[in-house]
Amino acid sequence: MGRLKKKVGLLFILAVAALYVVIYVVPQVSGFFKATYAAEYGELRTVDDTDMFFVRNETVYTSGVSGTANRLVDEGRLVRGHTTVMEVTGGAGGSSSGEYSSILEKLGDAALPTSDFTVTDGGVVSYFVDGYESELTPENMGEKNYEYYSAISQDAAKELSNGAVAAGDPVYKIIDKSKWYAVAFVPAESKDRYAAGKQVDVELGDSVISMTVTDVSKSGDLYRLLFETTAYYEKYGGLRRASVRIITADAAGLIIDNSSITEEDGVKGVYVKDKKDRYEFTPVSVLLTDGTSSVIADSYFYDSEGERTATVGPHDDVLKDPASLK
């Protein structure tokens, strides 16, 4: 009899525990799998953080005499052809000290010697050289691979002397003012963001520069992007390599998780919880996605047939995982 009472007691406890689970635990677990979040207004960008390499049409001039330099034109100033950029006086010094030997070796016959310190063609004056002025050009920049570019260091750029100058030393360069160019590499998953003719914004230091994509091509495991721009950038004369952020798209609206988006009868949408805790399929218009989140139109949008369609509004409760309804 005692054993029977114990069994009945145990069954009663198990029954109570099961009832507790049904009443309290199951709804919470079900609610967990049907978790929602509030649609919030925000901004989304698609970007690539990468290194960019800068290319220009530029000509380096070397001094035909020794002496002391006196610059007549500031860095970054635009001059006409035959303008006198500097003067070298005193006749002190001698042949090049070798400080610029590696740069001069790269420049080869492309460097122009001058004794009157004028310029053949007009352009922007710069007092920075690195030897890539003749090696890397707008004509050949699309032929060089990632290994070539990755070996380029911004530290190679030297500011030229504004004092003692030896014969043969580089003394200034002139940059074609019409356009300047850039090269960057992005992973395969980013390539669809770029196409010839597309305009992008490039965050370079504290500046944002508008550039146009001119070519997209595969280079090993990466994709090589070529750009051109006519934008003004004060420090571009000595710039060869820099870390940049390329902004390919920018949109504002309601931010939702991509995992919330599903389809019904070929229409993209999400499930929104109403005041009675029921989930209603609501069409959405995706303005931009970064692969994880999306910006959607707020409150309404016009479909492909021009019909006004109600959609998600600010602070609506959006279901995280539509599969949890099944």
Side-chain angles (χ1 to χ4, degrees), residues 88-121:
V88 175
T89 59
S95 61
S96 179
S97 63
E99 181 182 356
Y100 305 108
S101 58
S102 60
I103 290 174
L104 292 168
E105 185 177 348
K106 277 189 173 186
L107 290 172
D109 295 336
L112 296 183
T114 179
S115 295
D116 61 8
F117 304 98
T118 62
V119 299
T120 304
D121 298 310

Side-chain angles (χ1 to χ4, degrees), residues 43-47 203 245 247-251 288-290 295:
E43 187 177 11
L44 189 67
R45 287 176 165 184
T46 55
V47 304
E203 290 185 354
R245 168 166 286 183
I247 305 167
T248 49
D250 196 339
L288 179 65
T289 183
D290 65 2
V295 173

Side-chain angles (χ1 to χ4, degrees), residues 3-16:
R3 289 182 178 179
L4 180 60
K5 286 183 177 180
K6 287 182 178 180
K7 287 184 178 180
V8 172
L10 180 60
L11 289 172
F12 177 76
I13 292 171
L14 291 174
V16 171

Side-chain angles (χ1 to χ4, degrees), residues 205-223:
D206 295 330
S207 300
V208 177
I209 297 170
S210 178
M211 292 187 173
T212 302
V213 179
T214 59
D215 186 70
V216 181
S217 59
K218 200 169 189 307
S219 180
D221 295 331
L222 301 173
Y223 278 79

Side-chain angles (χ1 to χ4, degrees), residues 238-306:
L239 190 64
R240 189 65 69 186
R241 176 177 183 163
S243 295
V244 302
R245 168 166 286 183
I246 307 173
I247 305 167
T248 49
D250 196 339
L254 295 179
I255 306 291
I256 62 171
D257 296 341
N258 283 2
S259 61
S260 298
I261 302 174
T262 186
E263 278 194 20
E264 282 194 7
D265 300 324
V267 177
K268 283 186 177 181
V270 298
Y271 284 98
V272 174
K273 187 166 70 172
D274 63 18
K275 293 180 180 179
K276 295 182 179 180
D277 289 339
R278 295 177 301 190
Y279 291 93
E280 181 180 356
F281 180 79
T282 305
V284 297
S285 174
V286 176
L287 305 178
L288 179 65
T289 183
D290 65 2
T292 303
S293 302
S294 291
V295 173
I296 61 171
D298 171 10
S299 301
Y300 69 90
F301 65 91
Y302 291 92
D303 65 17
S304 58
E305 297 178 357

